[in-house]
Each structure stands twice: as structure tokens, then as C-alpha cells.
Amino acid sequence: MSHLRLVLCQLDTVVGDVTGNAARIVDALRRAEDDGADVVAFPELAITGYPPEDLLLKPSFVAENLAALERVAGASRQCLAVVGFVDVTGGEDIGDAVAHAAGAGVVAREAAVRGAPRRLRNAVALCVGGDVLGVYHKRRLPNYGVFDEERWFAPGSADFELYRVAGALVGVSICEDAWFPGGPVCQQGRGGAALVVNVNASPYSMGRSADRLAVVRARVKESGCAVAYVNQVGGQDELVFDGGSFVVDAAGDVVAAAPAFAEDTLVVDLPLPPPPGEPRLAVVPVSTGPRAQEARPGPPRPPGLDEDSEVYEALVLGTRDYLHKNGFTDAVIGLSGGIDSSLVATVAADALGAEHVHGLAMPSRYSSAGSVTDATALAQHLGIELSTVPIEAAHRALGELLTPVVGAPPSGLTDENLQSRIRGVLLMAVSNARGWMVLTTGNKSELATGYSTLYGDSAGGFAVIKDVPKTLVYRLCRLRNQRAGYAVIPESVLTKAPSAELRPDQRDDESLPPYDVLDPLLEALVVNDRSIADVVRGGRDPQVVARVAALVDQAEYKRRQSPPGVRITAKAFGKDRRMPITNRYRDPAPDPASSSGAHRA
Amino acid sequence: MSHLRLVLCQLDTVVGDVTGNAARIVDALRRAEDDGADVVAFPELAITGYPPEDLLLKPSFVAENLAALERVAGASRQCLAVVGFVDVTGGEDIGDAVAHAAGAGVVAREAAVRGAPRRLRNAVALCVGGDVLGVYHKRRLPNYGVFDEERWFAPGSADFELYRVAGALVGVSICEDAWFPGGPVCQQGRGGAALVVNVNASPYSMGRSADRLAVVRARVKESGCAVAYVNQVGGQDELVFDGGSFVVDAAGDVVAAAPAFAEDTLVVDLPLPPPPGEPRLAVVPVSTGPRAQEARPGPPRPPGLDEDSEVYEALVLGTRDYLHKNGFTDAVIGLSGGIDSSLVATVAADALGAEHVHGLAMPSRYSSAGSVTDATALAQHLGIELSTVPIEAAHRALGELLTPVVGAPPSGLTDENLQSRIRGVLLMAVSNARGWMVLTTGNKSELATGYSTLYGDSAGGFAVIKDVPKTLVYRLCRLRNQRAGYAVIPESVLTKAPSAELRPDQRDDESLPPYDVLDPLLEALVVNDRSIADVVRGGRDPQVVARVAALVDQAEYKRRQSPPGVRITAKAFGKDRRMPITNRYRDPAPDPASSSGAHRA
């Protein structure tokens, strides 16, 4: 049986780095050519990085992307390269149109946006022999969740073309195109394609890789063709792309897969049946037989990751890429001896190397002795630097300054927030002096309920675990200790009652329901947008549900000012959830409950 | 000639306040009925407030909106009420569909989002005699700039219907529908409508009211019908809706107009010619003759506002509504004696009343004598409270704490930021203790270039002038002084060289180009997305342009954590401009220039 040597390049591109991305693509393309590849595929929008967002509104950026595509195409030789880029259609030069409109006042400018709408396309170029042989435009544009593709792109609608490579007919599609029964993948498979390449920039969330495989298998089943799924890898602001590219043959079996959370080049010699008859779609000839003489066995399948391990790897990669892609090598973290900061420090050490992580313990008059001893033990285990700065002198000085203004020494929430903000000021000063990025340590349960201090513990450049519910924080710590074979994160950190330690004998469960009650409620209310009545019907305490829902609503203003962090769930606080701050909607509770309860503001 | 009594209700709705908005609508409807109205029109999505954003993903919210529409329709009597609401189409009950999908895992959930896509419609109901007589779905959904309507809504496509009211044929359309030549307004006008009602939630930006009038006149010209444009008014997070509803008759003349930036009920008796022949669209009968026996003269036209006055009113209304709608009565502002904080305090006093505005002067060792005397004079002129807290003790205490950690007493940017952050901590403590919202004082020029301190001067709940370039800050101060007839904002504030006063003899123009050079560059680079090369071709210094462009790129992370503030330009830093933080794109300068230059971080 004939075979086709397929190379999937699971690259970690950088948004905006058109020159660098193109160089990475050319380099990988050359290696694939040298290895006898018939088809080499790169991720969605590989030239610009994904998502380029409003860089797409800059005509100079789009033009640079087109020039880079020409360089990539120029480097193509015998194999067919599938290269993601931004295409421009519509006849006019976009630069002129926009520049003209910009000078012509608002009506004309908006008319240009509306009237010549979205002339950009999310595209792949089919490059061979130094040229662009064809272009495909994404047909299904996601415009929900974290995606805004209809903001920039028009959907493709041209007739499909198949490419005859190594004697087999190959189709192409982009990401969302694969998620629709009867959609572009199916149409090309039924139209005669033996293989459809699907290029992706599909961000990680828990359970996502199983979803992708199920969807691709469904396409294979309905269309009868093999599908090659290539994904990008790496962190981009709140998103982390997990890679995990794979190939499913026409029988529905996974014949090759790349690891998750790492760059990879997946080479697979795919046996292809002879075409069953005349294709019903236009065919562009590329090559008639395989370039590689003999089929090689595929690479071993990477070991699967359980869900908690996936999350941990996502946090590590997301953190590393955010710092490195933004020019930072080192991070500084406030270590309280609590579980959140312990996990963040551990992730940071795994992401950046222990020598690039700097702990700062900042005990106040209310800190327990354990807060410093636990932080010290953790730092020793991780091999990271730890400095200690008691904040008492600043706490006292600021308290004295405030007394005449507020009429009494700061107390209650004012004094709790004051301590937290002093720590924020110290961390940011160290950041400024040393050039280290501050990593914040708040988890999703806190962010959801507003149990944090704006400009205090929420101050920093990157919020590593902002999408990790507290119960999962515990699981991740245990996982990491298991991996290490000992309690890297000291056992006492895992067992003591969670506390902000901002007043004597404070405990989180004075202000919030226990986390094993809270987290499932947040999943229902926030991730799944269920109503209070619906959740209560599921057997929850109406007062507790109503109170949690009210806390979530009231904390929107704080979340809006929080730094980005790694998205690991199907709905993170970020681009996923666009709630108004000014919002008087209060989902009616079946049994109206008070929304009282002091929490830091 | 026959006439039609048309009532445009320019309401200040509150997003999410379904019950309150419906009550406001019913109240206005009753008054219009009592006044003999034939047609009464409310703004776009009046029942939910605009924009409801991801509240639309909550089935309980959408259901409550439908129930509220029933109540409004139930209150309708003889006149035709045009009521904005969210419609649900597609057969299934959305609650069940989404709830079912939510329980069924990610693939099913996403399939529900994708496969039964966007079953919500941005709609108006035509209510009369206690019932909903018809429904219109918005056809053109804006999905650019601050708008994301394709995230939630499907466009309308049903056949047009005209309503025979007072013997005349009336059509309806929603906002964006009016912006397309040959679009829904034109089609209804050519189909026989004598009047097309266009309901809007059109946010303010400079020059927008002239755009709207030009667009409506163009529709009138091409279709031959009168157009009634009703807009909402009021602040909603970063948006401020300016009202300014108006009616253009078939000859293209404005026959009535409501004031900008205030609630209003515009009543106009519109003479209507007899229908020219048989309508080409379906007609729904409502009433055959006018309810009001005699036509009344229209109200006097409100005086026009010049551009600076418009901006000032937008700031006042946006600030008042943000505080009041979020449950705040009072604001606290750090007063430095500089022009930015002086303008913000003045706007706040006009928005909230002087007795609700509290100034805090926080001089450091580097503050000029003028900083306190100018702040004092301003507070006296405005009649606002002023407290003074020298920050020296906290500055010294924190400096001493930091010395062992960073190896030396804080200096340079670290020390500058430290002072700014101490002020942020003090303001937030006063906010916590008193329940006053902190208003931040940074302007657009600073926000664009990153010339501000994260968690320092940028800390607060609302950023009043974040979209106001520095040169416009000066104009607004002069305008306000002119209005008062004396220098409310002391002349010395307007004439001294801008300085952050964070080191001896500091001046803004050591770090930034002069503002009259900077602001036009920012307009070109940010608002109009022009390339460096393009701006340089316009005669600018390549080094300066490249440096400013680099500053803008580097400051994205700071802007992401800034509070919302009033949008007054065609492109604000907010929902308007969605740039990645991790972004290696550097627009090539014709003459590569260094991007050095200390600025606060």
C-alpha cells in the first residue's frame, strides 16, 4: 500500500513575532524536507502567533505577515507545506483602505469597517516549489468563550480544493472547521480526500484533549478519511496551548500522537488506500509517489497524563512562557506559609529553575510562627532564595498616618487590607529594584468570591493559579509531593486550616463556606451559568447558594483589575466571562437569603 | 395633513435591573398613553439595559427579561409601544437546552453553543392593547470596537412588517440597522413606511452626534421616509450613552431633538403625508386616525454643545452613574495640586455634589510648596473637604524595610513608585474605612505611555479621565473656569510645568515628548492604528515616533489592570482595543531608534 510521510510541527510561536515565527517555520520545513516529508503542517496562524487580537487592525502588521509568508513559501521545495497566516481579500489594499478611512473622519472610518467588513481571513497557504499553490480560508469562526474571530475575520466560502500528494488526495481545514458534523472536514472526505489536515490553535482546558479526539473520530467516521490534527503549544497571556497533535486513520485508530505541553515534530508514514473513484472536488497536483522510499514505524505513543498532571503542566508552561516571552527570567513571590503561595512557588521553580525564584516572607503582628517556618522549609526543599521582612514598622507608620484621617486607628477590614497592601508595595518595590516579576498567589475560589485584597495579595504581573479552585490546589500539591517522593510542600501546609492571618485567629471558613462546599457551587454558578433555583433543586442550602452568588456578583470590579493567569477550566475569569461591573441583576433565590458576611474589599 | 403623536423616551436604564427598567418603561408608557401618543419608543434592549454582556448566557436572566416584557405589554393600551428586549427563538426552551448541555460535558455543551448557535435575538416588541403584536429582530449586529453582539445574538431575517398607526405606515429597526445604505431602514421606507423608528444604545464619542445625524439623513434621502432616532442615556462601566434623540422628517429636516446627557421625553406631532400607494410589505393594523385631536407645536430645540462641553458632560454623567449605579454616594481623590487631579475633583464635584467629594493631599519630601497650596485653593473653590497626610513617615519606614532586601535604600524608579504606592495604600484605606470610592486621576497620554505607577496613582475604582489626552485636560479646565467666571481651577495649576514630583525637580518632559507633540502621535498610532512609517511620512521625527510607539506597546500590562473610566474617543483603552500583552510585534521604524528612557513601572 502507498504511504504518505506526514510531519506535524507542534511549534511554540510568539504572538507578534512574525520574523521569528517565520524563521521557526522555515527551519522546521527544511528539516522535514530533508527527512523526505510529503506533507508538513504548522499550527493555525503560525506566522502571526495565535491569537493576534487587535494587532490585526494594524495594516503594517498584516502586511508584514504577508511578506513573511512569501519568505516561507520561497523556502518550500518538494513537499507540501500547510502554513497558517492572515490572508487579505477584497481587491483593495487594506493599508490604503484603512489609512484613507482613518483620515476621513469617523463616519467614513466606520463605514470602512462595516461596509468593507472583515476582509481578513484566517487562512492556510499550501506552499510547494517556492510558491503558494493554493489558499484555504477558515469557514467556521468561533466567536464565543475566549474567541472573538468574527471581530477580525470573514468566513471562507470558496470551493474546496484537494491536493494530490504522493498519489493521495489531501484536504485542509482550520480548527473550528472540524467541530461540525457535515462540515468542511466531512465535505472534503466525502469529496475524495484520503486525508484532511486540520491545523489548530486550540487552548487547553481540563478534559479538552479527550474532546478533540472524540470530535476528530466523529469526523473520520462520517467521512471515511484520515485526519491529522496539529496544534500549537505554549502560553499566550491567559491561554496555554497544550499541543498533543495526533493522527487518526480512516479506521478511527490513533496511529501517532505528540506529547502535550512541549514542542514536538511528529513524523508519521501514513498508509493510504488507493482513491475509491473519481474525486468530486477540484484537484491540484503536487506529487505522484512518496518521496521517502520505505515506510518507517511510527514513534512510540507518549504516556497519557491524568487530569491533575495536565493542569500542573499547564501551569508550568503557562508561567514559563509568560515570563520568558515578556523578557523576564526571574520571579518574586510573597511566601506566607500557606498552601496557595507554596504551590505557586513550586510551579515557578519547575517553570523557571529554582535559582530564578525568590521568596519573600512578610510576617505581620498576626502571623503564626508556622507561617515563617513553613515558608522556610518550602524554600529549602525547592532550593529557592528566601528573604524575610517583618512589616510591623510600616504597618505602624501607616496606621498612625491614617488615624487622624479616618478618626481612629485602622481596624477591621481596613486594617486587614492595609497589611495585605503593604506586602503588595514591598513585592512591587523588589520587582522594580531587581527586575523580577511578581507572581500573585490567589486561587479561583478567592477570585470568585472576592476574598482577596485589591492591590494587596492580588498585585503582580501574573496570577499563576487564578483559575485553580482551592480544592484542586490541594490535589496539585499532593501530586507534586508524590512526584518528588517526599513532602516538598511541607505536610503542615497541607493540613493546617486556611487563614489569611490578618487578624487574631482568623480562618477562611469564618468568611466563606468550606471549600469542598464552595467549589462545586462556583462550578455550577460561574462555569455553567446555572441559576440559584436550579442549584438549590440539586439539594444545596438556599442561603449558602444565594450568598455565594452575591459574593461572585459583588467581586466583579476586583477581578477586572487582576493580572492575567493560566486558564485551565472551561470558563476562567478573563476573556471567557464578560460580565458588566455595573450590574443590578440578582438571580432570585427560592428562599431569599442575606448576602452579608465580611470579606476583604 | 394627518399627524402622528410620537413619543421618544430617552431613558437611563441600568444593566441587569430588569424589574426596575420594566417599571421605568411602564411608567413612561402610561404617561405617553395619557398624553394621547400614537407611538412610544424606548431604547435598544431597554428591558435588560445595554450592554448586558454575558448576563445573556444565564438562562434565568433571559427568562426574567421575557417575563418583564409580558408585564410591559400588559400595560400597553391604545398606542403602539416599541420596547427593546432579548428574544429567544428556535423552538426549544433555552433554559432546558443550556441546563441539559451543562450537565452533559464539554463536547455537548460546546455543541449546544455551536450547533444551536446564538438563538438569542436583539429585538423590539411592538406592544398594543395588552399584547405583543409583533417582534422585530436586529439584522446588523456590530462586532467591532466596543461591540460583541455576534457573541450572543443571531441576526434577524424574517420578512419586514409595517404597522398602520394613525393611518400611517410605521417600520422599526435597531441601531446598526440604520448604518447601511440599502439596509433595513431603506427597505422599509421604500416598502411603504412613512416613518421608521430606529431604537438605539449608541455610546458617546467625540463627534458621534454629527455622525448619527448624517447617517439618518442619508437613510431619509434614499428611502423617502421620516426616521425617529431614540437613544439611551447614562453611564455603563466605560461607556456613556449621550441620548440626543431626534426626528428627521421626510424632507431631511430635524423637526425635534432631545437634549444630550439627560433623561428626556421627546413628544413630537409628526405631519405625515398620505401613503403614496399600496405598500409592498405586510401591514399590521393598529389604529386608523391620530388619538390626539390637534397637533401641538414641538418643543424648543436644545442648545448645541461644542466638542469640549460634550466631553465634560460625558465625564460628569459617566462618573455620576458609575458611582450611583454601584451604590456609592461619595468619592475620595488624591489631590496633588496638579492639573489631572484638579480636573477629576471638579468633575466629581459636578457629578456628585461638593459635599460628597473628599480630597486627600499626600505630600512627600519632593512635593513643591505649590502642591499643597494649589490643592487647598481648589478645594476651597469647589467647596470640597480636604485632608492632608504627609507620607514621609511611611516612606521612611518602607525604605528601611526594603534596604536589606534590595541591598541599598530604594532609589530611582523604585523610590518614585514607592511614594506613589504609599499614596495608593492611603487612599484605599480611607475608601475601606469610609465607603468612598477612590477616583484615579491618570489621563490618556499617561495611560498610553505607561507614565504612571501600577497600584499607585492608577489605584482606584473609576478612572474619570483615562480617555482624555493631556492637551484636552487643559482645554476642559479652561472651559470649566470659563463657565464659572473665575479660576475654579487655580491659574497656577494651569501654568506650572507638569511634574509627578517624585524626585527633585522632576518634570514630565524629561521622560515624555511635550504633550502637544505626544497627543497627536498617540491619536495616529493608537486611535487610527497607523504605522510608524506612515506617521513619519507625515513629517514627524522618526526617533520620537518610534520611541512613543515602543512606550505604548510596553505599557499594555499596566493598562490591563487599570480601572474602567469614561470612553470619550473613537478608541479608548478598554473593550475598544484588545491587544495581547505578550506581543513581540515591533512596527519597523524607517530609522531604527532606541526605545530607552526611564519611565515608571
Side-chain angles (χ1 to χ4, degrees):
Chain A
M1 199 188 282
S2 156
H3 74 272
L4 178 145
R5 180 157 292 173
L6 174 64
V7 178
L8 305 185
C9 297
Q10 180 170 299
L11 295 183
D12 189 348
T13 55
V14 181
V15 165
D17 188 15
V18 174
T19 306
N21 294 339
R24 280 178 203 101
I25 294 167
V26 167
D27 183 55
L29 174 56
R30 287 200 174 123
R31 281 184 283 114
E33 288 271 12
D34 292 346
D35 197 29
D38 297 303
V39 173
V40 53
F42 299 93
E44 182 177 8
L45 295 186
I47 285 191
T48 61
Y50 188 94
E53 302 189 82
D54 277 2
L55 283 171
L56 293 170
L57 302 184
K58 293 184 178 290
S60 53
F61 177 75
V62 174
E64 191 170 326
N65 138 90
L66 293 175
L69 176 67
E70 278 189 39
R71 292 199 302 279
V72 170
S76 67
R77 301 198 307 255
Q78 288 172 265
C79 86
L80 183 71
V82 183
V83 182
F85 78 109
V86 177
D87 199 10
V88 183
T89 57
E92 294 166 272
D93 173 61
I94 187 169
D96 285 351
V98 174
H100 171 79
V106 175
V107 172
R109 192 179 61 81
E110 302 227 347
V113 172
R114 290 166 163 131
R118 297 174 301 183
R119 301 189 302 112
L120 303 181
R121 312 284 178 149
N122 183 334
V124 287
L126 291 301
C127 307
V128 72
D131 251 327
V132 174
L133 202 63
V135 169
Y136 173 85
H137 296 151
K138 189 176 185 176
R139 291 170 170 239
R140 298 286 196 157
L141 300 173
N143 204 68
Y144 55 82
V146 299
F147 302 106
D148 289 289
E149 291 200 13
E150 291 179 349
R151 181 175 171 87
W152 306 291
F153 297 119
S157 58
D159 290 341
F160 292 108
E161 290 182 334
L162 302 180
Y163 296 82
R164 191 180 302 276
V165 186
L169 295 179
V170 176
V172 292
S173 63
I174 304 178
C175 204
E176 193 83 355
D177 285 338
W179 288 73
F180 290 84
V185 170
C186 177
Q187 289 166 266
Q188 292 177 78
R190 291 188 181 159
L195 168 71
V196 175
V197 174
N198 181 247
V199 311
N200 292 268
S202 175
Y204 171 72
S205 63
M206 288 159 74
R208 206 82 190 95
S209 55
D211 294 342
R212 291 182 198 129
L213 182 57
V215 161
V216 166
R217 279 199 162 125
R219 293 300 83 72
V220 166
K221 192 168 178 191
E222 65 175 10
S223 66
C225 67
V227 173
Y229 183 104
V230 58
N231 194 15
Q232 86 175 32
V233 71
Q236 170 61 27
D237 292 350
E238 69 188 58
L239 302 180
V240 59
F241 298 87
D242 52 332
S245 305
F246 60 93
V247 181
V248 173
D249 69 12
D253 294 322
V254 176
V255 295
F261 303 107
E263 283 200 305
D264 193 62
T265 303
L266 183 65
V267 183
V268 53
D269 286 348
L270 192 65
L272 291 170
E278 277 305 297
R280 288 186 297 281
L281 299 172
V283 171
V284 180
V286 177
S287 57
T288 50
R291 292 176 59 207
Q293 293 297 313
E294 253 177 78
R296 287 193 305 227
R301 295 280 297 280
L305 295 173
D306 61 51
E307 194 167 84
D308 291 356
S309 298
E310 272 187 5
V311 171
Y312 194 86
E313 295 308 320
L315 299 179
V316 169
L317 179 57
T319 302
R320 180 191 299 133
D321 269 9
Y322 190 79
L323 268 81
H324 289 177
K325 289 179 178 178
N326 281 293
F328 285 81
T329 57
D330 286 52
V332 57
I333 304 166
L335 293 185
S336 68
I339 191 159
D340 297 316
S341 58
S342 297
L343 177 60
V344 170
T346 307
V347 168
D350 289 343
L352 309 172
E355 68 276 24
H356 295 293
V357 179
H358 312 273
L360 200 58
M362 296 170 286
S364 80
R365 63 186 76 149
Y366 303 119
S367 298
S368 63
S371 75
V372 175
T373 55
D374 285 339
T376 306
L378 175 79
Q380 282 172 350
H381 297 172
L382 293 176
I384 67 172
E385 183 190 29
L386 177 68
S387 307
T388 302
V389 189
I391 67 167
E392 181 60 23
H395 189 183
R396 210 169 41 232
L398 280 157
E400 284 165 9
L401 289 186
L402 281 163
T403 301
V405 189
V406 301
S411 63
L413 287 181
T414 305
D415 192 52
E416 295 183 31
N417 285 325
L418 180 57
Q419 295 162 66
S420 186
R421 292 196 179 107
I422 289 168
R423 293 183 177 125
V425 169
L426 291 169
L427 284 166
M428 290 303 296
V430 172
S431 172
N432 285 158
R434 294 294 179 85
W436 302 336
M437 184 181 288
V438 177
L439 299 181
T440 73
T441 61
N443 60 61
K444 189 178 194 174
S445 312
E446 291 175 355
L447 199 71
T449 54
Y451 195 68
S452 66
T453 299
L454 196 54
Y455 321 127
D457 51 333
S458 70
F462 198 63
V464 175
I465 58 171
K466 74 182 283 191
D467 197 34
V468 183
K470 187 83 168 191
T471 47
L472 181 52
V473 169
Y474 278 94
R475 297 212 310 271
L476 295 178
C477 288
R478 292 202 192 91
L479 169 78
R480 184 61 176 73
N481 282 355
Q482 244 171 18
R483 280 194 194 178
Y486 78 105
V488 176
I489 297 164
E491 195 56 32
S492 52
V493 171
L494 285 153
T495 51
K496 65 185 167 191
S499 166
E501 299 196 340
L502 295 169
R503 61 174 186 260
D505 303 319
Q506 184 173 32
R507 286 169 57 123
D508 288 10
D509 57 11
E510 295 163 354
S511 301
L512 297 174
Y515 288 112
D516 56 354
V517 173
L518 177 63
D519 283 354
L521 290 183
L522 294 173
E523 174 86 7
L525 295 168
V526 175
V527 178
N528 296 323
D529 276 316
R530 289 172 66 192
S531 69
I532 294 176
D534 187 28
V535 176
V536 169
R537 272 195 300 274
R540 302 289 181 168
D541 179 332
Q543 290 219 345
V544 172
V545 181
R547 183 159 161 268
V548 169
L551 290 175
V552 171
D553 288 340
Q554 288 159 13
E556 188 57 36
Y557 75 99
K558 285 193 203 182
R559 286 191 290 268
R560 203 61 70 86
Q561 294 192 43
S562 75
V566 185
R567 173 183 182 264
I568 61 139
T569 69
K571 185 180 279 191
F573 291 114
K575 287 197 287 186
D576 257 335
R577 190 173 184 271
R578 306 184 190 174
M579 293 296 274
I581 299 177
T582 304
N583 167 18
R584 281 210 195 133
Y585 179 61
R586 292 298 172 263
D587 182 12
D591 172 17
S594 83
S595 68
S596 72
H599 68 291
R600 290 178 283 152
Chain B
M1 199 187 282
S2 158
H3 74 272
L4 179 143
R5 180 158 293 174
L6 174 64
V7 177
L8 304 185
C9 297
Q10 180 170 299
L11 295 184
D12 188 347
T13 54
V14 181
V15 165
D17 188 14
V18 174
T19 306
N21 294 339
R24 279 179 203 101
I25 293 167
V26 167
D27 183 55
L29 174 55
R30 289 202 173 121
R31 280 185 281 116
E33 286 273 11
D34 293 345
D35 197 31
D38 296 303
V39 174
V40 54
F42 299 93
E44 183 176 8
L45 295 187
I47 284 191
T48 62
Y50 189 95
E53 301 189 85
D54 276 3
L55 284 172
L56 293 170
L57 302 184
K58 293 184 179 288
S60 54
F61 177 75
V62 175
E64 190 169 327
N65 136 90
L66 292 176
L69 176 66
E70 279 189 41
R71 291 199 303 279
V72 169
S76 68
R77 301 199 308 256
Q78 287 171 267
C79 87
L80 183 72
V82 183
V83 181
F85 77 110
V86 177
D87 199 9
V88 183
T89 57
E92 294 165 272
D93 173 61
I94 188 171
D96 284 350
V98 173
H100 170 80
V106 174
V107 170
R109 194 179 61 79
E110 302 227 344
V113 172
R114 291 166 161 134
R118 296 174 301 184
R119 300 188 304 112
L120 303 180
R121 313 283 179 149
N122 183 334
V124 286
L126 290 301
C127 306
V128 73
D131 251 326
V132 175
L133 202 65
V135 169
Y136 173 86
H137 296 152
K138 188 174 185 178
R139 294 172 168 238
R140 297 289 197 155
L141 300 173
N143 203 68
Y144 55 81
V146 299
F147 302 107
D148 289 290
E149 292 200 13
E150 290 179 351
R151 180 176 174 85
W152 307 291
F153 298 118
S157 58
D159 290 342
F160 292 109
E161 291 182 334
L162 301 180
Y163 296 81
R164 191 180 304 274
V165 185
L169 295 179
V170 176
V172 292
S173 63
I174 305 178
C175 205
E176 194 84 355
D177 286 337
W179 288 72
F180 290 84
V185 171
C186 177
Q187 289 166 266
Q188 293 178 77
R190 291 188 182 160
L195 166 70
V196 175
V197 174
N198 181 247
V199 310
N200 292 268
S202 176
Y204 171 72
S205 64
M206 288 158 76
R208 206 81 189 95
S209 55
D211 295 341
R212 292 183 198 129
L213 182 56
V215 162
V216 166
R217 280 199 161 125
R219 291 301 83 73
V220 166
K221 191 166 182 195
E222 66 177 8
S223 65
C225 65
V227 173
Y229 183 102
V230 56
N231 194 16
Q232 86 175 32
V233 71
Q236 170 60 29
D237 292 351
E238 69 188 57
L239 302 181
V240 60
F241 298 88
D242 50 334
S245 304
F246 60 93
V247 180
V248 173
D249 68 11
D253 292 323
V254 176
V255 293
F261 302 108
E263 283 200 304
D264 193 61
T265 303
L266 183 64
V267 183
V268 52
D269 286 347
L270 193 64
L272 291 169
E278 277 305 295
R280 288 185 298 279
L281 299 172
V283 171
V284 180
V286 177
S287 57
T288 49
R291 292 176 61 206
Q293 293 297 315
E294 254 178 77
R296 289 194 302 231
R301 294 283 295 280
L305 295 173
D306 62 52
E307 192 167 83
D308 291 356
S309 297
E310 272 188 4
V311 171
Y312 193 85
E313 295 308 322
L315 299 179
V316 169
L317 179 57
T319 302
R320 179 191 299 135
D321 269 8
Y322 190 79
L323 268 81
H324 289 177
K325 289 180 178 179
N326 281 292
F328 286 80
T329 57
D330 285 54
V332 56
I333 304 166
L335 293 185
S336 68
I339 190 160
D340 297 315
S341 58
S342 297
L343 177 60
V344 169
T346 306
V347 169
D350 288 342
L352 309 173
E355 68 278 23
H356 296 292
V357 179
H358 311 273
L360 199 60
M362 297 170 285
S364 79
R365 65 187 73 150
Y366 303 120
S367 297
S368 63
S371 75
V372 176
T373 54
D374 285 340
T376 305
L378 175 78
Q380 282 171 350
H381 298 173
L382 293 176
I384 67 172
E385 182 191 30
L386 178 68
S387 308
T388 302
V389 188
I391 67 168
E392 180 61 24
H395 190 184
R396 209 167 44 230
L398 280 158
E400 284 166 9
L401 290 185
L402 281 163
T403 302
V405 190
V406 301
S411 62
L413 287 183
T414 305
D415 192 51
E416 294 183 31
N417 285 324
L418 180 57
Q419 296 162 65
S420 185
R421 290 196 180 105
I422 288 168
R423 293 181 177 127
V425 169
L426 291 169
L427 283 166
M428 289 303 295
V430 171
S431 171
N432 286 158
R434 295 292 180 90
W436 303 335
M437 185 181 287
V438 177
L439 299 181
T440 73
T441 60
N443 61 60
K444 189 176 195 174
S445 312
E446 291 176 356
L447 199 71
T449 55
Y451 194 69
S452 66
T453 299
L454 195 53
Y455 321 128
D457 51 334
S458 69
F462 198 65
V464 176
I465 59 170
K466 76 184 282 189
D467 197 34
V468 183
K470 187 82 169 191
T471 47
L472 180 53
V473 168
Y474 279 94
R475 296 212 309 271
L476 295 179
C477 289
R478 289 200 194 93
L479 169 76
R480 184 62 178 73
N481 282 356
Q482 243 170 19
R483 281 195 194 178
Y486 77 104
V488 176
I489 298 163
E491 195 57 34
S492 52
V493 172
L494 285 154
T495 50
K496 65 186 166 190
S499 166
E501 299 197 340
L502 295 168
R503 61 173 186 260
D505 303 320
Q506 185 174 31
R507 286 168 57 123
D508 289 9
D509 59 11
E510 294 163 355
S511 301
L512 297 174
Y515 288 111
D516 57 353
V517 172
L518 177 63
D519 284 352
L521 289 182
L522 293 173
E523 172 88 6
L525 294 169
V526 175
V527 178
N528 296 323
D529 277 316
R530 290 172 64 192
S531 69
I532 294 176
D534 187 29
V535 176
V536 168
R537 272 195 300 274
R540 302 290 180 167
D541 178 331
Q543 289 219 343
V544 172
V545 181
R547 180 155 164 271
V548 169
L551 289 175
V552 171
D553 288 339
Q554 288 159 14
E556 188 58 34
Y557 75 99
K558 286 193 204 182
R559 286 190 290 267
R560 202 61 67 87
Q561 294 191 46
S562 74
V566 185
R567 172 181 182 264
I568 60 138
T569 69
K571 186 179 279 194
F573 291 113
K575 289 197 288 186
D576 256 337
R577 189 172 185 272
R578 305 182 190 176
M579 293 296 274
I581 299 177
T582 304
N583 167 17
R584 282 212 194 128
Y585 179 61
R586 294 296 172 266
D587 181 15
D591 173 18
S594 82
S595 67
S596 71
H599 68 294
R600 291 179 283 152

